[in-house]
Amino acid sequence: MAPAEPAKRRRKDKAAWVMRSAAQQLELLLGRPPESVSALKPTDDGWEAHVEVVELERIPETTSVMASYRVTLDNEGDLVAYERIRRYTRGQIDRRL
């Protein structure tokens, strides 16, 4: 089973690299730093990530307006498309299951 471990590590390394790439490229387009990458999955053509961004800072922080963006990347990690899929306040609990 040892030969499978390097392949597993490469997938994890690739996923981490794609997450950083998605966040960095979206920041360049929006001019706002991302808070987090909340989802990442491989697709037939590359990757899809959901990136959380503060759109409007408020006091207290729990009332800041957040947005979730779907970021589509090709196999090389280049951003192909993005769209805002949700806006919410930071303190909002997602009740969808």
Side-chain angles (χ1 to χ4, degrees):
M1 286 208 170
E5 192 170 315
K8 208 178 213 185
R9 184 172 299 135
R10 280 193 301 272
R11 278 195 306 266
K12 286 181 183 179
D13 291 345
K14 175 79 175 199
W17 177 80
V18 169
M19 287 176 68
R20 284 190 301 275
S21 180
Q24 290 170 349
Q25 291 179 72
L26 187 63
E27 180 177 3
L28 288 173
L29 292 169
L30 298 179
R32 294 186 173 101
E35 287 283 308
S36 65
V37 177
S38 59
L40 179 70
K41 68 178 180 180
T43 64
D44 292 339
D45 300 324
W47 296 83
E48 181 179 291
H50 290 191
V51 181
E52 310 305 313
V53 176
V54 176
E55 290 208 329
L56 181 61
E57 290 188 46
R58 291 188 176 156
I59 298 174
E61 275 191 8
T62 55
T63 62
S64 291
V65 178
M66 304 290 295
S68 183
Y69 286 85
R70 179 183 301 126
V71 179
T72 305
L73 301 117
D74 62 18
N75 282 315
E76 286 75 42
D78 293 322
L79 191 140
V80 175
Y82 75 97
E83 67 178 309
R84 185 173 62 200
I85 56 175
R86 182 171 172 246
R87 288 184 87 188
Y88 58 97
T89 58
R90 185 187 292 269
Q92 182 179 344
I93 297 172
D94 196 356
R95 299 192 192 286
R96 293 179 290 166
L97 296 177

